[in-house]
Amino acid sequence: MWARLRRRHFDSRPLVWQFTVVTVLPALLVAAGLHWGLRVAPEVVWTMLVTAALCAVVSAALAHRVGQSLRQLIAATQLVRRSEPMEDVNLPLQTGSAELQRASAGLRRLIEVWRRRQRDLIAQTESLGRRLALRTHELSTLQDLSIGLASKTELHELVAEALSALEQTMAYTSASVWSRTARDEGGQVVLMGYRQNDDEAGETPTDDLTGMRLSRANLQHYEHIEREGEAIVENRVRQSLLSWLWSWLSDDARTSGLYRGTKAWMAVPLKSREAVMGVLRVDHEEPDFFDAERVRLLTAVGSQTGLAMRHAQLLSQQKDQAVVAERNRIARDLHDAVSQTLFAANVIAGTLGRLAARLVEMDPNAGALQQQAEALERLNKGALSEMRLLMFELRPDALQHLPLAELLQHAIDALASRGTIEVSHRLAREDRLPSATRVQLYRIAQEALSNIGRHSGASHAVIEWIVPEQGVGGRLRIADDGHGFDPGVSPPGHFGLRNMAERAAEIGATWNITSGPDEGTEIRLELT
């Protein structure tokens, strides 16, 4: 009960009340005891009471001062507890006593620590917010990239979609995608697509670089990525003046201009499982640009792009297989029906020619019949040669496995069967060429012989295929004695010369044409 009364009437009161009670109440009790118990003189009692009153006033003043300091400390602790911004809070240093001074100094240090932690927390929150926004943007871009890639089936469209998505998430000087023209190691590495910063556009040629080959120095990096299947990051590009001058003099690839001024670059494989479909390279003009986050982003873009390219390749192979199957069916039908009919018609035409020759011996007026019979036999032979050539065209696998000399012989027979052009030929039986190169050479010769038959007006043509005794390669020469033309002027709608030049470039051959009005035409192709 006494403890409850003390807490209610004493502990819950202000310090001034407590100091006054503690000072005055004992003095009153002592004065009452002295006055009534011991019968002390009233002057002594009043002196003691006055002294007690003065002590009470001094104690109350000290208690008021201490209470004021404690109220300031309490207000500061309430600000800390409410977690409100404390940049404007300035707690004065209390000097009323050593204890108050130490307490206020400790609280001031606590508030300063709290301010620093609050600033650090705000900075971390802002940093996390920026990173969250960046990650959200990257995820959104990757999602859009997946949707965009899923809707594309052509390789060039896939490359353009990947570069467009990358442009939305990362600043760069240039970004390029490289791939081989053929899946085997013999195919050239060419530029499938590229994007360049507008500020750097003036340092490279203004025309389109798509389809051009990779420089020799960068080809080593491509082959390493193709072999290892791992990305390459070069954050500090260093090149001596001598090596730069040598590369500038020895390398004639126009695509090298994409990488001038590069201080950092990264190349990632575009692969599906273990198959590398190409390489994505990103360059920047600042060193140490490719940190862990950018490496992760480029790796994700490369992985999705490689998977889409593999899907497009499989889809293209499926379409090619369907086309090949249909061509084989048509070739079989032509062989079983039309070709056999033409062969029988050719036999009949030959028989009619021989019978007409016998009639001429008995009746000279039958010469016209003999001429018609011979023309019919010649037309049937030409149609039969064209049919055989058509069946070869319908079956590309036959073109890949036959020697080049045999392929050229079919094209020569088709031209000679027209009867208006005499064809001389010299064909090496062995070529030691890859199947893709052999087919391209045959296409070039076929286009040249077709032009001779349709446009040259020639009476004689020569075709030569010469193979060196050692090594690989060869020389293809096709010439005629027709009326010729100006090679620098291409008639509208005629793309034969350009097609032959492009095919020669694809197999790395040197192609040259010589012609002039009434001087005939000669085509030379050197393959090393």
Side-chain angles (χ1 to χ4, degrees):
M1 183 180 66
W2 291 106
R4 190 184 309 114
L5 291 174
R6 179 175 58 79
R7 287 194 300 270
R8 180 177 180 181
H9 299 287
F10 184 79
D11 294 345
S12 60
R13 300 290 183 175
L15 286 176
V16 175
W17 168 264
Q18 295 180 9
F19 272 66
T20 303
V21 170
V22 170
T23 305
V24 174
L25 185 59
L28 292 176
L29 293 176
V30 171
L34 292 175
H35 179 68
W36 284 293
L38 300 178
R39 302 295 181 177
V40 178
E43 293 81 2
V44 176
V45 174
W46 284 107
T47 301
M48 186 182 64
L49 290 176
V50 170
T51 303
L54 292 175
C55 292
V57 172
V58 172
S59 299
L62 181 61
H64 176 73
R65 183 177 179 183
V66 173
Q68 185 178 7
S69 300
L70 291 176
R71 282 192 295 273
Q72 291 180 356
L73 295 177
I74 292 171
T77 56
Q78 289 177 348
L79 288 177
V80 175
R81 181 174 56 83
R82 288 197 297 268
S83 298
E84 294 180 355
M86 301 182 61
E87 297 298 331
D88 297 333
V89 176
N90 188 12
L91 181 66
L93 183 63
Q94 304 297 328
T95 59
S97 65
E99 292 79 3
L100 285 177
Q101 185 174 359
R102 287 194 296 270
S104 61
L107 187 57
R108 284 163 64 94
R109 289 192 296 270
L110 177 63
I111 293 175
E112 187 61 30
V113 171
W114 192 91
R115 285 175 178 172
R116 288 198 301 268
R117 291 184 178 179
Q118 187 181 44
R119 288 193 294 267
D120 293 341
L121 183 61
I122 292 174
Q124 292 179 3
T125 303
E126 292 176 352
S127 177
L128 290 175
R130 290 191 297 269
R131 294 181 61 183
L132 178 61
L134 181 60
R135 296 289 87 78
T136 302
H137 180 64
E138 290 178 358
L139 290 175
S140 177
T141 302
L142 291 176
Q143 183 180 14
D144 295 340
L145 175 61
S146 300
I147 297 174
L149 293 177
S151 62
K152 303 293 188 301
T153 56
E154 297 293 334
L155 288 181
H156 289 283
E157 294 180 352
L158 293 174
V159 170
E161 185 71 24
L163 293 177
S164 177
L166 186 61
E167 191 176 25
Q168 298 176 11
T169 57
M170 182 182 300
Y172 53 76
T173 303
S174 66
S176 52
V177 175
W178 300 87
S179 181
R180 290 194 181 272
T181 55
R183 293 271 66 84
D184 55 0
E185 294 183 358
Q188 275 194 325
V189 180
V190 298
L191 185 61
M192 298 290 293
Y194 68 99
R195 295 287 178 90
Q196 194 173 10
N197 191 336
D198 294 337
D199 297 337
E200 303 291 334
E203 297 187 7
T204 56
T206 56
D207 53 348
D208 190 11
L209 300 177
T210 305
M212 295 188 177
R213 66 177 180 85
L214 182 63
S215 62
R216 284 188 289 269
N218 292 302
L219 182 60
Q220 298 177 357
H221 298 305
Y222 183 95
E223 292 175 347
H224 175 80
I225 296 174
E226 190 178 43
R227 183 173 57 254
E228 302 295 334
E230 297 179 355
I232 296 179
V233 181
E234 185 65 45
N235 268 322
R236 289 187 176 271
V237 177
R238 293 191 180 117
Q239 189 176 24
S240 64
L241 179 61
L242 183 60
S243 61
W244 174 85
L245 182 60
W246 171 252
S247 63
W248 183 76
L249 292 174
S250 61
D251 197 353
D252 59 348
R254 298 171 61 192
T255 54
S256 300
L258 292 173
Y259 310 130
R260 291 172 186 163
T262 294
K263 300 300 182 183
W265 61 271
M266 177 179 178
V268 297
L270 306 178
K271 66 177 183 178
S272 174
R273 295 187 178 180
E274 299 301 324
V276 177
M277 313 300 298
V279 170
L280 168 64
R281 170 166 171 165
V282 180
D283 292 72
H284 205 273
E285 59 185 358
E286 297 179 4
D288 299 324
F289 178 75
F290 295 97
D291 53 11
E293 294 182 355
R294 292 188 174 99
V295 170
R296 179 185 53 78
L297 175 61
L298 284 177
T299 302
V301 173
S303 177
Q304 291 196 26
T305 306
L307 183 62
M309 292 177 68
R310 179 60 176 171
H311 174 73
Q313 184 189 36
L314 293 176
L315 183 61
S316 177
Q317 291 177 354
Q318 184 179 9
K319 292 180 180 179
D320 292 342
Q321 291 174 357
V323 171
V324 170
E326 182 63 17
R327 285 184 172 184
N328 289 333
R329 184 191 67 80
I330 296 175
R332 289 194 301 269
D333 292 344
L334 289 176
H335 179 271
D336 297 338
V338 181
S339 181
Q340 298 298 329
T341 303
L342 287 175
F343 179 77
N346 186 46
V347 173
I348 295 174
T351 303
L352 289 177
R354 289 190 295 272
L355 292 176
R358 294 178 183 178
L359 290 176
V360 169
E361 295 176 356
M362 296 181 292
D363 184 3
N365 296 326
L369 178 61
Q370 182 183 8
Q371 293 178 357
Q372 293 294 328
E374 291 175 351
L376 180 61
E377 183 181 10
R378 186 169 57 253
L379 289 174
N380 274 280
K381 287 183 178 179
L384 188 59
S385 298
E386 294 287 349
M387 180 59 64
R388 290 173 179 171
L389 190 61
L390 178 60
M391 286 189 290
F392 273 106
E393 293 292 334
L394 289 173
R395 302 186 67 175
D397 55 338
L399 298 178
Q400 296 177 358
H401 296 92
L402 289 178
L404 180 60
E406 186 173 345
L407 295 176
L408 295 177
Q409 188 64 55
H410 286 288
I412 292 172
D413 293 342
L415 177 62
S417 64
R418 301 184 182 185
T420 58
I421 302 177
E422 181 184 357
V423 182
S424 302
H425 60 273
R426 177 187 173 191
L427 305 177
R429 305 309 302 175
E430 297 182 359
D431 49 47
R432 300 185 297 273
L433 297 174
S435 58
T437 303
R438 186 185 304 116
V439 172
Q440 293 289 52
L441 287 174
Y442 166 70
R443 295 298 185 193
I444 293 173
Q446 183 185 27
E447 181 71 26
L449 294 176
S450 177
N451 289 339
I452 291 175
R454 289 182 298 175
H455 308 299
S456 69
S459 60
H460 184 262
V462 178
I463 178 169
E464 295 178 350
W465 167 242
I466 302 174
V467 177
E469 295 181 0
Q470 297 180 351
V472 296
R475 183 176 75 248
L476 178 66
R477 174 179 174 268
I478 303 174
D480 65 75
D481 60 354
H483 48 67
F485 65 98
D486 184 2
V489 179
S490 179
H494 295 271
F495 305 100
L497 296 179
R498 187 171 67 182
N499 292 339
M500 286 189 284
E502 291 176 353
R503 291 183 185 276
E506 289 181 4
I507 59 177
T510 303
W511 183 82
N512 185 36
I513 182 170
T514 303
S515 183
D518 299 326
E519 295 180 1
T521 303
E522 182 184 63
I523 295 176
R524 285 180 176 269
L525 190 144
E526 296 284 346
L527 185 65
T528 58

